[in-house]
Amino acid sequence: MPSNHSQSATANDADSGASDLSEEIEESCCDASSPDCGEDAAAAGGEPAESGGTCPTPMSWRGVMKKFGEEATTAVVNRDGYSLYCRAWGEGEPLYFLNGFGGTSELFVLTAAVLRDEFRCVFIDEFSSEPGAHLPPRTVTVPEAVADLFAVADHFGDDVISLYGATLGGALGLAAMDTQPQRIHRAALQGGFAFRHFSPAERLLIGLGQYVPGRLQHVPLRASVQKQNHGLWFPPFDGSRWKFLAENCDSVPLRIIARRAALAHQIDLRSRLDQITPPTLIVQTEGEGRIATACQAELKSRLPHVEDFWIDSTGQVPFLTHPHRLAKLLKPFFRGEPLPESGSAPPAVQDVTATPIANTTESHDD
């Protein structure tokens, strides 16, 4: 059955010593100034880092992906003229991960590895890299995208679900909460938005991009933009994890990225925010950029049942750079328990603005 294993060939090269997943899921190396660093290091039995301080054993993403490939349940959910490629991993309450602008759902797997003992983590992709799979023929509408989510939930027998949505996934999570609030238990949104402005030039690129062949790897300067937006926050002792992000994002067809952007252009929930009732957690991260900060400030001020949390030193893809720290936040939120103490976003970080080309894809690499 087709599934979107953009890294499956690499994952098969995992070291045999990575079978003990409980050791792999400790945080890879948090910032020495982070209040979580000492706790994580002690839990992992870490050794002193070269720069001083203590860091736990790095998580082997290859080992996690290998375990995921062996244990996840796969399914194809057919829709009107296209298919959704789904995988579920773990036991417990259903937690659905919604993709951002770039990359595939495999970017969430490291965080799911930490959560899978308490949550059945469900991943959805609108395309597959498997031989014989076809790209969806068109851009779906927002109501169709929301209906797709609930169709997958129906397939897995989930009447009520929780959500973690990144960037575009956060916006679609809001739309789902607005459409069928009775089916959403709780939602954590990272980099989400109720509305995102696109310039005329961006709209032109989105329109043209839906007909352009090739993948992100064929775009000039994409590597330098990825590095600028995300490279600073990756674990220093595992360079291969950066390669995982780059190869995963590069594998996405340009038409998929353009269609995701076209979907985002349809979203405008500003007039509905006061009526979105499921409990919501706004997750903000260092490096998110001025536009994302402004979008999330609107959510924090308008949603009626909202909490927010600032995570330092993780960048825009905390589910990949620091999955253990993110999981320690998500677990109490989805249980309905008090959150750990949040840090404060430094004003200098809040004002960071990406370069113009990075803004065009500001989280096309998420």
Side-chain angles (χ1 to χ4, degrees), residues 253-318:
L254 292 172
R255 280 177 284 180
I256 292 294
I257 296 175
R259 288 170 186 175
R260 290 175 178 175
L263 181 60
H265 182 53
Q266 300 174 35
I267 296 173
D268 188 352
L269 294 167
R270 289 174 292 181
S271 66
R272 302 286 303 165
L273 288 178
D274 296 336
Q275 302 172 56
I276 296 177
T277 56
T280 306
L281 173 64
I282 303 301
V283 180
Q284 294 189 260
T285 64
E286 189 171 355
E288 67 184 12
R290 177 179 56 84
I291 294 174
T293 298
C295 289
Q296 291 179 99
E298 181 177 37
L299 301 183
K300 292 190 292 185
S301 66
R302 296 279 310 283
L303 290 170
H305 303 293
V306 66
E307 298 179 84
D308 64 283
F309 196 95
W310 168 263
I311 309 179
D312 65 289
S313 308
T314 64
Q316 299 175 65
V317 287

Coordinates of all heavy atoms in Angstrom, one line a residue, residues 253-318:
P253 N 7.3 17.9 -4.3 CA 7.1 18.5 -5.6 C 6.8 20.0 -5.5 O 6.0 20.4 -4.5 CB 6.0 17.7 -6.2 CG 6.0 16.4 -5.5 CD 6.5 16.7 -4.1
L254 N 7.2 20.8 -6.4 CA 6.9 22.2 -6.4 C 5.4 22.5 -6.5 O 4.9 23.4 -5.9 CB 7.7 22.9 -7.5 CG 9.2 23.0 -7.4 CD1 9.8 23.5 -8.6 CD2 9.6 23.8 -6.2
R255 N 4.8 21.6 -7.2 CA 3.3 21.8 -7.3 C 2.6 21.7 -6.0 O 1.6 22.3 -5.7 CB 2.7 20.9 -8.4 CG 3.0 21.3 -9.8 CD 2.5 20.3 -10.8 NE 3.4 19.2 -10.9 CZ 3.2 18.1 -11.7 NH1 2.1 18.0 -12.5 NH2 4.1 17.2 -11.8
I256 N 3.1 20.8 -5.2 CA 2.5 20.6 -3.8 C 2.7 21.8 -3.0 O 1.8 22.3 -2.3 CB 3.1 19.3 -3.2 CG1 2.7 18.1 -3.9 CG2 2.7 19.3 -1.7 CD1 1.2 17.8 -3.8
I257 N 3.9 22.4 -3.0 CA 4.2 23.6 -2.2 C 3.3 24.7 -2.7 O 2.8 25.5 -1.9 CB 5.7 23.9 -2.3 CG1 6.6 22.8 -1.7 CG2 6.0 25.3 -1.6 CD1 8.0 23.0 -1.8
A258 N 3.2 24.9 -4.0 CA 2.4 26.0 -4.6 C 0.9 25.8 -4.2 O 0.2 26.7 -3.8 CB 2.5 26.0 -6.1
R259 N 0.4 24.5 -4.2 CA -0.9 24.3 -3.9 C -1.2 24.5 -2.4 O -2.3 24.9 -2.0 CB -1.3 22.8 -4.3 CG -1.5 22.7 -5.8 CD -1.6 21.3 -6.2 NE -1.6 21.2 -7.7 CZ -1.6 20.0 -8.4 NH1 -1.6 18.9 -7.7 NH2 -1.6 20.0 -9.7
R260 N -0.2 24.2 -1.5 CA -0.4 24.5 -0.1 C -0.4 26.0 0.1 O -1.3 26.5 0.9 CB 0.8 23.9 0.7 CG 0.8 22.3 0.8 CD 2.0 21.8 1.5 NE 2.0 20.4 1.6 CZ 3.0 19.6 2.1 NH1 4.1 20.3 2.5 NH2 2.9 18.3 2.2
A261 N 0.4 26.7 -0.6 CA 0.3 28.2 -0.5 C -1.0 28.7 -1.0 O -1.6 29.7 -0.4 CB 1.5 28.8 -1.2
A262 N -1.5 28.1 -2.1 CA -2.8 28.6 -2.6 C -3.9 28.3 -1.6 O -4.9 29.1 -1.5 CB -3.1 27.9 -4.0
L263 N -3.8 27.2 -0.9 CA -4.8 26.8 0.1 C -4.7 27.9 1.2 O -5.7 28.3 1.7 CB -4.5 25.4 0.6 CG -5.4 24.9 1.7 CD1 -6.9 24.8 1.3 CD2 -5.0 23.5 2.2
A264 N -3.5 28.2 1.6 CA -3.3 29.2 2.7 C -3.9 30.6 2.3 O -4.5 31.3 3.1 CB -1.8 29.4 3.0
H265 N -3.8 30.9 1.0 CA -4.3 32.2 0.5 C -5.9 32.2 0.6 O -6.4 33.3 0.7 CB -3.9 32.4 -0.9 CG -4.4 33.7 -1.5 ND1 -4.1 34.9 -0.9 CD2 -5.1 33.9 -2.7 CE1 -4.6 35.9 -1.7 NE2 -5.2 35.3 -2.7
Q266 N -6.5 31.1 0.7 CA -8.0 31.0 0.8 C -8.4 31.3 2.2 O -9.6 31.6 2.5 CB -8.5 29.7 0.4 CG -8.2 29.2 -1.0 CD -8.7 27.8 -1.2 OE1 -9.7 27.4 -0.7 NE2 -8.0 27.0 -2.0
I267 N -7.5 31.1 3.2 CA -8.0 31.1 4.6 C -8.1 32.5 5.2 O -7.2 33.4 5.1 CB -6.9 30.3 5.5 CG1 -6.9 28.9 5.0 CG2 -7.3 30.5 7.0 CD1 -5.8 28.0 5.7
D268 N -9.2 32.8 5.7 CA -9.5 34.1 6.4 C -10.5 33.8 7.5 O -11.7 33.8 7.3 CB -9.9 35.2 5.5 CG -10.0 36.6 6.2 OD1 -9.8 36.6 7.4 OD2 -10.2 37.6 5.5
L269 N -10.0 33.6 8.7 CA -10.9 33.2 9.8 C -10.9 34.4 10.9 O -11.4 34.2 12.0 CB -10.4 32.0 10.5 CG -10.4 30.7 9.7 CD1 -9.6 29.6 10.3 CD2 -11.9 30.2 9.5
R270 N -10.5 35.6 10.5 CA -10.4 36.7 11.4 C -11.8 37.0 12.0 O -11.9 37.3 13.2 CB -9.9 37.9 10.7 CG -8.4 37.8 10.4 CD -7.8 38.9 9.6 NE -8.4 38.9 8.3 CZ -8.1 39.9 7.3 NH1 -7.3 40.8 7.6 NH2 -8.7 39.8 6.1
S271 N -12.8 36.9 11.3 CA -14.2 37.2 11.8 C -14.7 36.1 12.7 O -15.8 36.3 13.3 CB -15.1 37.6 10.7 OG -15.4 36.4 9.9
R272 N -14.1 34.9 12.7 CA -14.6 33.8 13.4 C -13.9 33.4 14.6 O -14.3 32.5 15.4 CB -14.6 32.6 12.4 CG -15.3 32.7 11.1 CD -16.8 32.6 11.3 NE -17.2 31.4 12.0 CZ -18.3 31.1 12.5 NH1 -19.3 32.1 12.6 NH2 -18.6 29.9 13.1
L273 N -12.7 34.1 14.9 CA -11.9 33.7 16.0 C -12.6 33.7 17.3 O -12.4 32.8 18.2 CB -10.6 34.6 16.1 CG -9.6 34.4 15.0 CD1 -8.5 35.4 15.1 CD2 -9.1 32.9 15.0
D274 N -13.4 34.6 17.6 CA -14.1 34.7 18.9 C -15.1 33.5 19.1 O -15.5 33.3 20.2 CB -15.0 36.0 18.9 CG -14.1 37.2 18.9 OD1 -12.9 37.1 19.3 OD2 -14.6 38.3 18.5
Q275 N -15.4 32.8 18.0 CA -16.4 31.7 18.1 C -15.7 30.3 18.1 O -16.4 29.3 18.1 CB -17.4 31.9 17.0 CG -18.1 33.2 17.0 CD -19.0 33.4 15.8 OE1 -19.9 32.6 15.5 NE2 -18.8 34.5 15.1
I276 N -14.4 30.3 18.0 CA -13.7 29.0 18.0 C -13.4 28.6 19.4 O -12.6 29.2 20.1 CB -12.4 29.1 17.2 CG1 -12.7 29.4 15.7 CG2 -11.6 27.8 17.3 CD1 -11.5 29.6 14.8
T277 N -14.1 27.5 19.9 CA -14.2 27.3 21.3 C -13.3 26.2 21.9 O -13.0 26.2 23.1 CB -15.6 26.9 21.7 OG1 -16.0 25.8 20.9 CG2 -16.6 28.0 21.5
P278 N -12.7 25.2 21.1 CA -11.9 24.2 21.7 C -10.6 24.8 22.3 O -10.1 25.8 21.8 CB -11.5 23.3 20.5 CG -12.6 23.5 19.5 CD -13.0 24.9 19.7
P279 N -10.2 24.3 23.5 CA -9.0 24.8 24.1 C -7.8 24.7 23.1 O -7.6 23.7 22.4 CB -8.8 23.8 25.3 CG -10.1 23.3 25.6 CD -10.8 23.2 24.2
T280 N -7.0 25.8 23.1 CA -6.0 26.0 22.1 C -4.7 26.4 22.8 O -4.7 27.3 23.7 CB -6.4 27.0 21.0 OG1 -7.6 26.7 20.5 CG2 -5.3 27.1 19.9
L281 N -3.6 25.9 22.4 CA -2.3 26.3 22.8 C -1.5 26.9 21.7 O -1.4 26.3 20.6 CB -1.5 25.1 23.3 CG 0.0 25.3 23.7 CD1 0.1 26.3 24.9 CD2 0.7 24.0 24.1
I282 N -1.1 28.1 21.8 CA -0.2 28.8 20.8 C 1.2 28.6 21.2 O 1.7 29.0 22.3 CB -0.6 30.3 20.8 CG1 -2.0 30.5 20.5 CG2 0.3 31.0 19.7 CD1 -2.5 29.9 19.2
V283 N 1.9 27.9 20.4 CA 3.4 27.6 20.6 C 4.2 28.5 19.8 O 4.1 28.5 18.5 CB 3.7 26.1 20.2 CG1 5.2 25.8 20.5 CG2 2.8 25.1 21.0
Q284 N 5.0 29.3 20.4 CA 5.9 30.2 19.7 C 7.3 29.8 20.0 O 7.7 29.3 21.0 CB 5.7 31.7 20.2 CG 4.3 32.2 19.8 CD 4.2 33.7 20.1 OE1 3.6 34.1 21.1 NE2 4.7 34.5 19.2
T285 N 8.2 30.0 19.0 CA 9.5 29.6 19.0 C 10.5 30.7 18.6 O 10.1 31.6 17.8 CB 9.8 28.4 18.1 OG1 9.6 28.8 16.7 CG2 8.8 27.2 18.5
E286 N 11.7 30.6 19.2 CA 12.7 31.6 18.8 C 13.0 31.4 17.3 O 13.2 30.3 16.8 CB 14.0 31.3 19.6 CG 15.0 32.4 19.4 CD 16.2 32.2 20.4 OE1 16.0 31.3 21.3 OE2 17.1 33.0 20.3
G287 N 13.1 32.5 16.6 CA 13.4 32.4 15.1 C 12.2 32.4 14.2 O 12.3 32.3 13.0
E288 N 11.0 32.6 14.8 CA 9.8 32.4 14.0 C 9.6 33.6 13.1 O 8.9 33.5 12.1 CB 8.5 32.3 14.9 CG 8.2 33.6 15.7 CD 7.1 33.4 16.7 OE1 6.6 32.2 16.9 OE2 6.6 34.4 17.2
G289 N 10.1 34.8 13.3 CA 10.0 35.9 12.4 C 8.8 36.8 12.8 O 7.9 36.5 13.5
R290 N 8.9 38.0 12.3 CA 8.0 39.1 12.6 C 6.6 38.8 12.2 O 5.6 39.0 12.9 CB 8.4 40.4 12.0 CG 7.5 41.6 12.2 CD 8.0 42.8 11.5 NE 8.3 42.6 10.1 CZ 7.4 42.7 9.2 NH1 6.1 43.0 9.5 NH2 7.7 42.5 7.9
I291 N 6.4 38.2 10.9 CA 5.1 38.0 10.4 C 4.4 36.9 11.3 O 3.2 37.1 11.6 CB 5.2 37.5 8.9 CG1 5.7 38.7 8.1 CG2 3.8 37.0 8.4 CD1 5.9 38.3 6.6
A292 N 5.1 35.8 11.6 CA 4.5 34.8 12.4 C 4.1 35.3 13.8 O 3.1 34.9 14.3 CB 5.4 33.6 12.5
T293 N 5.0 36.1 14.3 CA 4.7 36.7 15.7 C 3.4 37.5 15.7 O 2.6 37.4 16.6 CB 5.9 37.5 16.1 OG1 7.1 36.7 16.2 CG2 5.6 38.2 17.5
A294 N 3.3 38.3 14.6 CA 2.1 39.1 14.5 C 0.8 38.3 14.4 O -0.2 38.5 15.0 CB 2.2 40.1 13.4
C295 N 0.9 37.2 13.5 CA -0.2 36.4 13.3 C -0.6 35.7 14.6 O -1.8 35.5 14.9 CB 0.1 35.3 12.3 SG 0.2 36.0 10.6
Q296 N 0.3 35.2 15.4 CA 0.0 34.5 16.6 C -0.5 35.4 17.7 O -1.2 35.0 18.6 CB 1.2 33.7 17.0 CG 1.5 32.5 16.1 CD 2.7 31.7 16.5 OE1 2.6 30.7 17.1 NE2 3.9 32.2 16.1
A297 N 0.0 36.7 17.7 CA -0.5 37.7 18.6 C -2.0 37.9 18.4 O -2.8 38.0 19.4 CB 0.2 39.0 18.5
E298 N -2.5 37.9 17.2 CA -3.9 38.0 16.9 C -4.7 36.8 17.5 O -5.7 36.9 18.1 CB -4.1 38.1 15.4 CG -5.6 38.2 15.1 CD -5.8 38.4 13.6 OE1 -5.1 37.7 12.8 OE2 -6.7 39.2 13.2
L299 N -4.1 35.6 17.3 CA -4.8 34.4 17.9 C -4.8 34.5 19.4 O -5.9 34.1 20.0 CB -4.0 33.1 17.5 CG -3.9 32.9 16.0 CD1 -3.2 31.5 15.7 CD2 -5.2 32.9 15.3
K300 N -3.7 34.9 20.0 CA -3.7 34.9 21.5 C -4.7 36.0 22.0 O -5.3 35.8 23.1 CB -2.3 35.3 22.0 CG -1.3 34.2 21.7 CD 0.0 34.4 22.4 CE 0.8 35.6 21.8 NZ 2.1 35.8 22.5
S301 N -5.0 37.0 21.3 CA -5.9 38.1 21.8 C -7.3 37.8 21.5 O -8.2 38.4 22.1 CB -5.5 39.4 21.2 OG -5.7 39.4 19.8
R302 N -7.6 36.9 20.5 CA -9.0 36.7 20.0 C -9.6 35.4 20.4 O -10.8 35.3 20.5 CB -9.0 36.9 18.5 CG -8.6 38.3 18.0 CD -9.8 39.3 18.1 NE -11.0 38.7 17.5 CZ -11.2 38.7 16.2 NH1 -10.3 39.1 15.3 NH2 -12.4 38.1 15.8
L303 N -8.8 34.3 20.5 CA -9.4 33.0 20.8 C -9.9 33.0 22.2 O -9.2 33.5 23.1 CB -8.4 31.9 20.6 CG -8.0 31.6 19.1 CD1 -6.8 30.7 19.0 CD2 -9.2 31.0 18.3
P304 N -11.1 32.5 22.5 CA -11.7 32.6 23.8 C -11.0 31.6 24.9 O -11.1 31.9 26.1 CB -13.2 32.2 23.6 CG -13.2 31.4 22.3 CD -12.1 32.0 21.5
H305 N -10.5 30.5 24.4 CA -9.9 29.5 25.4 C -8.5 29.2 24.9 O -8.2 28.2 24.3 CB -10.8 28.2 25.4 CG -12.2 28.5 25.8 ND1 -12.6 28.9 27.0 CD2 -13.3 28.4 25.0 CE1 -13.9 29.1 27.1 NE2 -14.4 28.8 25.9
V306 N -7.6 30.1 25.2 CA -6.2 30.0 24.7 C -5.2 30.1 25.7 O -5.3 30.8 26.7 CB -6.0 31.1 23.6 CG1 -6.1 32.5 24.2 CG2 -4.8 30.9 22.8
E307 N -4.1 29.3 25.6 CA -2.9 29.5 26.4 C -1.8 29.6 25.4 O -1.9 29.3 24.2 CB -2.6 28.2 27.2 CG -3.7 27.9 28.2 CD -3.4 26.6 29.0 OE1 -2.6 26.7 30.0 OE2 -3.9 25.6 28.6
D308 N -0.7 30.2 25.9 CA 0.5 30.3 25.0 C 1.8 30.0 25.7 O 1.8 30.0 26.9 CB 0.6 31.8 24.4 CG 0.9 32.8 25.5 OD1 -0.1 33.1 26.2 OD2 2.0 33.2 25.6
F309 N 2.7 29.6 24.9 CA 4.0 29.1 25.5 C 5.1 29.5 24.5 O 5.0 29.3 23.3 CB 4.0 27.6 25.7 CG 5.0 27.1 26.6 CD1 4.8 26.9 28.0 CD2 6.3 26.8 26.1 CE1 5.8 26.4 28.8 CE2 7.3 26.3 27.0 CZ 7.1 26.1 28.3
W310 N 6.2 30.0 25.1 CA 7.4 30.4 24.3 C 8.5 29.4 24.6 O 8.8 29.1 25.7 CB 7.8 31.8 24.7 CG 9.2 32.2 24.2 CD1 10.4 32.1 24.9 CD2 9.5 32.7 22.9 NE1 11.4 32.5 24.1 CE2 10.9 32.9 22.9 CE3 8.7 33.0 21.8 CZ2 11.5 33.4 21.8 CZ3 9.4 33.6 20.7 CH2 10.7 33.7 20.7
I311 N 9.0 28.8 23.5 CA 10.1 27.9 23.6 C 11.4 28.5 23.0 O 11.4 28.8 21.8 CB 9.9 26.5 22.9 CG1 8.5 25.9 23.3 CG2 11.0 25.5 23.1 CD1 8.2 24.6 22.6
D312 N 12.4 28.7 23.8 CA 13.6 29.3 23.3 C 14.5 28.2 22.6 O 14.4 27.0 22.9 CB 14.4 30.0 24.4 CG 14.9 29.0 25.4 OD1 14.1 28.5 26.2 OD2 16.1 28.8 25.5
S313 N 15.4 28.7 21.8 CA 16.5 27.9 21.3 C 16.1 26.7 20.4 O 16.9 25.7 20.3 CB 17.4 27.4 22.4 OG 17.8 28.5 23.3
T314 N 14.9 26.7 19.8 CA 14.5 25.5 19.1 C 14.3 25.8 17.6 O 14.3 24.9 16.8 CB 13.2 25.0 19.6 OG1 12.1 26.0 19.4 CG2 13.3 24.6 21.1
G315 N 14.1 27.1 17.2 CA 13.8 27.4 15.8 C 12.4 27.0 15.4 O 11.6 26.7 16.2
Q316 N 12.2 27.1 14.1 CA 10.8 27.0 13.6 C 10.3 25.5 13.4 O 9.2 25.3 13.1 CB 10.7 27.7 12.2 CG 11.0 29.2 12.3 CD 11.0 29.8 10.9 OE1 9.9 29.8 10.2 NE2 12.1 30.3 10.4
V317 N 11.2 24.6 13.6 CA 10.8 23.2 13.5 C 11.2 22.5 14.8 O 12.0 21.5 14.8 CB 11.5 22.5 12.3 CG1 10.8 23.0 11.0 CG2 13.0 22.8 12.2
P318 N 10.6 22.9 16.0 CA 11.0 22.3 17.2 C 10.7 20.8 17.3 O 11.3 20.0 18.1 CB 10.1 23.0 18.3 CG 8.9 23.5 17.4 CD 9.5 23.8 16.1

